[in-house]
């Protein structure tokens, strides 16, 4: 890491049992990234550690179970935007919603909980998805990072094609230099990898592997 590392934040996205193999919204290979996440979180190469945590109220609008006749992974129109319907996951206070027990979270300065509005989903750590007024309300993460003098963010976690991607896009939009630690992410749909990577690179997001940063 270079001498500017104190201005770099590591953001771990949604490292929660419900997204791990065996969970209701399992991301294939999600558990394979835990070892390198542990190394990244233990490294001195980052000035700040932040975690996002998917944290839904019971019967959240993103749950297929809320929509009669619909199945998980169906796509509906919600407030004029596509909304993927998910299996029930990360319900507030349940064990599956906890930050994963295999990692040491004590150096994490801030935990940004998202998806708490019963009627709005949230993939990004920076902003909710669209609400009924067509807006994407902010979580406050960008302001927090700026007040901590962070200029660069490195993203890892789950899932590559949803919460990591959306967080990376919003981080660019907020003016941060953004790196995705590609091998420390896994996708819901690995067939989207090429497009996810190309979309992010087109925005100026740098792709790295964990070993580059350790
Ligand atoms: Zn969710």
């Amino acid at each position: 890491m270079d001498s500017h590392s104190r201005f770099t934040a590591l953001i771990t996205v949604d490292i929660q049992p419900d997204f791990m193999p065996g969970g209701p919204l399992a991301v294939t290979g999600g558990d394979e990234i835990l070892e390198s996440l542990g190394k990244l979180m233990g490294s001195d190469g980052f000035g700040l550690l932040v975690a996002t945590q998917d944290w839904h109220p019971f019967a959240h609008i993103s749950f297929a179970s809320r929509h009669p006749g619909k199945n998980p992974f169906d796509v509906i129109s919600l407030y004029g935007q596509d909304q993927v319907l998910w299996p029930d996951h990360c319900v507030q206070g349940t064990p599956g919603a906890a930050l994963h027990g295999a990692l040491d979270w004590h150096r994490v300065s801030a935990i940004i909980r998202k998806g708490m509005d019963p009627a709005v989903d949230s993939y990004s750590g920076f902003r909710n998805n669209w609400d009924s007024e067509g807006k994407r309300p902010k979580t406050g993460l960008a302001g927090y990072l700026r007040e901590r003098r962070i200029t660069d963010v490195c993203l890892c976690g789950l899932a590559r094609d949803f919460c990591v991607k959306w967080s990376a896009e919003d981080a660019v939009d907020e003016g941060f230099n953004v790196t995705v630690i590609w091998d420390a992410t896994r996708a819901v749909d690995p067939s989207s990898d090429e497009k996810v990577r190309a979309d992010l690179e087109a925005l100026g997001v740098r792709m790295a592997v964990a070993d580059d940063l350790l």
Side-chain angles (χ1 to χ4, degrees), residues 70-200:
K70 296 294 180 188
N71 294 309
F73 306 104
D74 285 351
V75 178
I76 63 166
S77 179
L78 181 66
Y79 315 132
Q81 304 285 339
D82 284 351
Q83 169 71 47
V84 181
L85 297 179
W86 304 106
D88 289 21
H89 66 279
C90 296
V91 174
Q92 293 170 2
T94 61
L99 294 175
H100 198 284
L103 295 175
D104 179 357
W105 299 95
H106 81 272
R107 293 181 63 212
V108 172
S109 300
I111 298 164
I112 302 296
R113 287 176 163 167
K114 61 190 183 64
M116 296 177 68
D117 183 330
V120 184
D121 206 0
S122 187
Y123 295 153
S124 167
F126 291 88
R127 305 178 76 177
N128 294 339
N129 298 8
W130 293 273
D131 66 13
S132 60
E133 296 176 357
K135 298 202 171 81
R136 292 190 56 208
K138 297 190 177 191
T139 63
L141 175 56
Y144 174 69
L145 295 174
R146 277 195 280 270
E147 288 205 351
R148 294 294 299 262
R149 302 183 63 212
I150 295 297
T151 55
D152 292 55
V153 299
C154 291
L155 290 154
C156 55
L158 303 171
R160 177 186 286 158
D161 42 345
F162 286 93
C163 297
V164 173
K165 179 174 193 272
W166 286 50
S167 295
E169 290 169 346
D170 287 341
V172 169
D173 198 45
E174 292 285 356
F176 297 101
N177 302 312
V178 182
T179 298
V180 168
I181 310 170
W182 187 259
D183 63 336
T185 67
R186 288 292 184 277
V188 169
D189 176 11
S191 74
S192 71
D193 280 357
E194 205 171 316
K195 179 171 167 35
V196 168
R197 197 177 178 110
D199 286 352
L200 291 175

Side-chain angles (χ1 to χ4, degrees), residues 19 54 56 62 89 121:
F19 294 125
D54 214 27
H56 297 307
S62 74
H89 66 279
D121 206 0

